[in-house]
Amino acid sequence: MSTFVDIVASVGLWAAVLRIATPLIFGTLGALLCERAGVLNLGIEGIMTFGAMVGWLAVYHGADLWTGLLVAALAGAVFGLLHAALTVTLGLSQHVSGLGVTLFASSFSYYLFRLIVPLAGSPPTIVPFAPVSVPGLAGLPFVGPVLSAQTPPTYLAVLLALLLAYVVFRTPLGLAIRMTGENPHAAEAQGVNPMAVRYGAVIAGSALMAVGGAFLTLSAFNSFFPTMVQGRGWICIALVVFASWRPGRALFGALLFAFFDAFQLRLQTAVDGVPYQVFLMTPYILSILALCVMARRARVPQALMQPYRRGER
């Protein structure tokens, strides 16, 4: 028991929680924005992979780190535009389109990486974001060291979660997004263009997903390899349901999963005689249990995955 308490009370654990949660926050907010407007975006895994690759590639060829994030966001927006064209304009299956985007973006990432970066014994590296201290917070006991170990994109992710919560529930734009996801025909009757709203939500949401991927190569690590996303996109899809399509709960869900993950990594070295695979699957089992509990109370946007045709009901 004392081992568990020591782990939970350590600064290193909570610093790791914020670091692990950051790409999940970006990805979950992006998926949530898409789904609030009525579009399921299963392209998230491929979009995160492509964002990780293209953001790293931009920095590797001389761009600064913030430009790398911007390039990743623009690349994600392009894939979002593709997904929106297939699902919003053409009304194709959102499942099939999303999986197609994931397969295409993931494969295209590896192709471009190998086309532009020569084969080497170890992948090339860049200088990633450095941790920054927030004036006034760095001196706080426990909290200060945890925050001082974080890089700027982590602060950006938390601020975006709070901003999106305000926009979705406190602004006319958020109302238009929610109306489009619940009843696009009622939204149209109020002067809202549901197709434009869905396009905007999918493009912006995909940009956020790509930034989440870029965090892995520009902050968490310093190089790119094709499998580095490791299913984080699918976790984000589950976290949206866990969060009941609310940005504040999405932030909490990402932190909760990150806590499980960081905790099991430390248990592997603290507990002997237990196969490490047991610890690896622990965060996923706990997340599934939490998802089962929360999903019973979740209210799905009524028009989610339903194609919209002007004049049809």
Side-chain angles (χ1 to χ4, degrees):
M1 180 61 70
S2 62
T3 301
F4 292 167
V5 173
D6 291 341
I7 292 175
V8 172
S10 66
V11 170
L13 172 73
W14 294 101
V17 166
L18 286 175
R19 184 171 60 253
I20 294 171
T22 300
L24 299 178
I25 295 171
F26 280 117
T28 304
L29 293 178
L32 185 150
L33 185 58
C34 294
E35 293 183 28
R36 268 293 180 180
V39 180
L40 176 67
N41 192 349
L42 294 182
I44 182 171
E45 185 80 5
I47 292 172
M48 290 183 73
T49 301
F50 194 83
M53 188 280 298
V54 76
W56 176 88
L57 199 60
V59 176
Y60 179 68
H61 283 284
D64 62 76
L65 293 166
W66 288 107
T67 302
L69 285 181
L70 178 60
V71 170
L74 292 175
V78 170
F79 280 106
L81 179 62
L82 173 62
H83 184 57
L86 294 173
T87 58
V88 179
T89 301
L90 300 180
L92 302 181
S93 168
Q94 295 179 10
H95 293 94
V96 175
S97 173
L99 292 175
V101 169
T102 280
L103 293 173
F104 173 64
S106 299
S107 302
F108 194 44
S109 300
Y110 184 68
Y111 171 75
L112 279 182
F113 179 70
R114 283 305 174 204
L115 185 68
I116 299 174
V117 179
L119 288 172
S122 59
T125 60
I126 61 169
V127 178
F129 280 102
V132 296
S133 298
V134 179
L137 297 180
L140 295 176
F142 193 83
V143 175
V146 170
L147 294 179
S148 297
Q150 307 308 316
T151 57
T154 297
Y155 298 107
L156 177 63
V158 175
L159 290 175
L160 281 176
L162 300 177
L163 177 62
L164 188 60
Y166 176 80
V167 170
V168 169
F169 293 105
R170 294 289 186 271
T171 67
L173 175 60
L175 179 60
I177 292 172
R178 287 184 287 124
M179 286 182 65
T180 301
E182 294 290 343
N183 190 331
H185 297 286
E188 184 182 27
Q190 296 299 317
V192 175
N193 186 337
M195 297 189 72
V197 170
R198 286 189 170 184
Y199 259 90
V202 174
I203 291 171
S206 299
L208 288 175
M209 296 171 187
V211 171
F215 173 84
L216 298 173
T217 50
L218 303 184
S219 183
F221 307 103
N222 60 359
S223 60
F224 171 78
F225 51 95
T227 59
M228 69 187 314
V229 175
Q230 294 183 330
R232 287 179 175 87
W234 310 128
I235 295 168
C236 292
I237 295 295
L239 286 175
V240 173
V241 181
F242 172 85
S244 300
W245 289 268
R246 291 178 174 271
R249 292 183 185 177
L251 175 61
F252 171 73
L255 291 171
L256 182 63
F257 180 87
F259 171 79
F260 292 153
D261 198 13
F263 190 67
Q264 66 86 14
L265 288 172
R266 283 152 182 78
L267 281 181
Q268 289 185 37
T269 59
V271 179
D272 297 324
V274 180
Y276 75 92
Q277 291 89 348
V278 174
F279 297 112
L280 287 177
M281 68 181 182
T282 299
Y284 299 94
I285 294 174
L286 295 175
S287 298
I288 290 172
L289 294 175
L291 179 62
C292 291
V293 173
M294 296 299 295
R296 295 171 65 90
R297 308 173 186 175
R299 184 180 179 278
V300 182
Q302 295 301 299
L304 180 62
M305 295 185 290
Q306 296 181 10
Y308 167 75
R309 290 287 183 271
R310 186 172 284 113
E312 297 181 4
R313 291 185 179 273

